[in-house]
Amino acid sequence: MFRVRHTTVSRSIKVLKRCKSTLVIAEHNNEKLTPCTLNTITAATKIGGDISCLVVGSNCSKVAEEVSQIKGVSKVLLADNEAFKGFLPEIVAPFLQATQQQFKFTHILAPATATGKNILPRLAAKLDVSPISEITGVQDDSTFIRTIYAGNAVQTLKSDEPVKIITVRGTSFESAAVGGKASTEKVSVPVENSTSSEFVGQELSKSDRPELTSAKAVVAGGRGMKNGENFKLLYDLADKLNAAVGASRAAVDAGFVANDLQVGQTGKIVAPELYIAVGISGAIQHLAGMKDSKVIVAINKDPEAPIFQVADYGLVEDLFKAVPAMTELISKK
Ligand SMILES: Cc1cc2nc3c(=O)[nH]c(=O)nc-3n(C[C@H](O)[C@H](O)[C@H](O)COP(=O)(O)OP(=O)(O)OC[C@H]3O[C@@H](n4cnc5c(N)ncnc54)[C@H](O)[C@@H]3O)c2cc1C
């Protein structure tokens, strides 16, 4: 879309400026929208202009309906095709490229999750533009804020790419509210199958606990937990608080817990109301994933541990005494 202004003096085109139109790629499991999509839509509203939301998946019309009710979304684009089973980036990225050729968006946004990080850089490469990763703020339609050096410095980045391909850190933006009524349009772009990869199946871990990145409280354990069995202490405490359980990379690398619990630079970014760090020293790479938490509690037997520098409440104590005592106290309430 182009906006053209004429002047009567020269009758020539003085300004030729593209209107802003943003595409948000919805993240979902074909049944339900992942909450980080709502944060990404809020980031899109800060850019301004029209917002369309693309639901790519197989048997995902329910998700399209959910998206159509989100405030700020003016159009839902639905691409429902068996080929999208497993959301293979080798199939989704070329499809997005073809979609972009048709719609000519000025911005394409996705949550900075494993899925978003898998697809968007490929799309950027195909469109021959630099991707802008994990923004935490929007200054204007071409200026974005992001952190660099494991969260040690804040970068203000101005992009002059014709289409801005952006992943969004969900914890930095509020969730978009429900209450909209967008129209839904089926995308008629052809879908090409991949010759290099094929979706065979998936085994998803099931848990009754809240999901780590959207939980209101997180109890995380580090190398100080000593072994995987001792994480039971954290699960007991988490159950009382309706919290998710997280871990440092050292705990994951030592095999105490699965790597989907890792919080930090190379793990998940969380910003819950309450983060309890147990037996975690507070290395910069861990802080990069949790320092935006509203209230941070640290339990560590070393009073010099760096985690105390970011903690709102610190307890210098042996965790094997402190954690069961906390769980017991909460149980009595
Ligand atoms: C490129 C790169 C990326 C990385 N990404 C991540 C990441 O995403 N997430 C991450 O966490 N790390 C990451 N790391 C690793 C990071 O540098 C640290 O090594 C790691 O965070 C340390 O984990 P920890 O705090 O559990 O272990 P440690 O640093 O060994 O700390 C253990 C803590 O437990 C305390 N403790 C021990 N016993 C007890 C007890 N009985 N009671 C109370 N306290 C006790 C100790 O005092 C100590 O402070 C990354 C590193 C690199 C180089």
Side-chain angles (χ1 to χ4, degrees), residues 72-152:
V73 176
S74 50
K75 193 195 285 174
V76 180
L77 299 174
L78 174 62
D80 199 337
N81 194 308
E82 269 300 286
F84 295 130
K85 229 177 178 175
F87 307 105
L88 291 183
E90 292 85 352
I91 296 176
V92 178
F95 171 76
L96 291 176
Q97 182 190 14
T99 306
Q100 169 62 5
Q101 270 152 14
Q102 184 178 324
F103 290 91
K104 309 259 186 293
F105 294 103
T106 55
H107 298 75
I108 301 180
L109 273 61
T113 54
T115 311
K117 289 177 186 175
N118 211 352
I119 294 170
L120 255 61
R122 289 170 198 258
L123 173 64
K126 284 181 179 296
L127 296 172
D128 198 21
V129 297
S130 289
I132 304 164
S133 46
E134 216 161 341
I135 60 161
T136 56
V138 175
Q139 234 170 49
D140 59 43
D141 61 0
S142 55
T143 318
F144 307 96
I145 316 287
R146 57 190 297 274
T147 59
I148 52 173
Y149 301 119
N152 257 344

Side-chain angles (χ1 to χ4, degrees), residues 221-226 247-251 253 262-268 278-287 299-302 305-307 317-320:
R223 200 186 332 245
M225 295 305 296
K226 309 270 189 281
S248 71
R249 175 157 160 183
D253 286 351
Q262 186 179 317
V263 172
Q265 186 192 344
T266 43
K268 289 182 175 154
V278 183
I280 292 177
S281 60
I284 178 171
Q285 296 88 354
H286 187 80
L287 302 186
I299 303 173
N300 198 305
K301 65 179 182 186
D302 174 9
I307 190 78
E317 180 60 281
D318 187 322
L319 73 90
F320 295 102

Side-chain angles (χ1 to χ4, degrees), residues 225-244:
M225 295 305 296
K226 309 270 189 281
N227 58 47
E229 286 75 59
N230 290 336
F231 262 73
K232 176 160 187 326
L233 295 174
L234 303 190
Y235 284 117
D236 290 345
L237 177 59
D239 285 346
K240 299 287 171 215
L241 298 168
N242 192 28

